[in-house]
Amino acid sequence: IHVTELDVRIPIPASTAELQRQAQDYALVVDACLDEPACEAIVTWGFTDADSWIPSAFPGYGAALLFDESYEPKAAYWAVNDALAGG
């Protein structure tokens, strides 16, 4: 099993609550993969919101990736990091 092209779009501008929910969703995917021996990889659809395809395809949505438009890690990044670290 490979989870590919993962992103979690949210309405923009994103609220703190939406960013936290997004982080939880990313962590759920990582946890599910870690719990399944056949899951070998998770690949996101990019790494920064600055280059995301989401806003052009889904007007009013974006902020779908682990890093914001300034290349700063978002709550989703830290949730994935914690899940991979076993936290």
Side-chain angles (χ1 to χ4, degrees):
I1 297 170
H2 292 190
V3 178
T4 63
E5 302 169 2
L6 175 64
D7 52 31
V8 180
R9 69 180 182 255
I10 55 178
I12 52 174
S15 70
T16 301
E18 289 161 338
L19 290 167
Q20 287 301 321
R21 175 60 189 194
Q22 177 189 57
Q24 292 170 351
D25 289 346
Y26 267 104
L28 285 172
V29 172
V30 173
D31 287 340
C33 185
L34 292 172
D35 287 343
E36 173 52 57
C39 189
E40 298 177 335
I42 300 173
V43 179
T44 60
W45 187 285
F47 76 96
T48 174
D49 295 337
D51 298 316
S52 176
W53 68 283
I54 295 293
S56 63
F58 298 94
Y61 287 84
L65 296 165
L66 302 177
F67 290 82
D68 68 16
E69 291 180 354
S70 298
Y71 298 83
E72 295 296 321
K74 296 175 6 190
Y77 170 86
W78 296 110
V80 168
N81 183 72
D82 291 348
L84 291 173

